[in-house]
Amino acid sequence: MLFLTDVDHVSIEKANETRQNNLQSATVSLQVVMGLCKRKETAALKIKAAVS
C-alpha cells in the first residue's frame, strides 16, 4: 500500500509540473499574440496618420 501511495504522489507531482509548464507556455504564447496585435495596431495607426 505504501508503494502505491508513493506512486500516486509521484504521478500527481508530474501532473502538476506538466500543468505548470503548459500554463507557462500558454502565457508566453498569449504574450506573443498580444505583442503582434499591438504592433499591427501601431502600424495601422501610422499608415492612417500618413494618409491623413
Side-chain angles (χ1 to χ4, degrees):
M1 192 66 176
L2 181 61
F3 177 74
L4 292 175
T5 303
D6 288 343
V7 170
D8 290 345
H9 179 71
V10 170
S11 297
I12 290 170
E13 284 299 315
K14 287 188 178 189
N16 287 340
E17 287 176 19
T18 300
R19 282 192 206 100
Q20 185 65 32
N21 288 339
N22 289 344
L23 181 59
Q24 289 172 347
S25 295
T27 301
V28 170
S29 297
L30 182 57
Q31 289 172 340
V32 168
V33 170
M34 289 172 63
L36 292 173
C37 290
K38 193 172 190 178
R39 289 174 68 186
K40 185 176 180 181
E41 181 181 343
T42 301
L45 290 173
K46 286 181 180 178
I47 291 170
K48 185 177 180 182
V51 171
S52 297

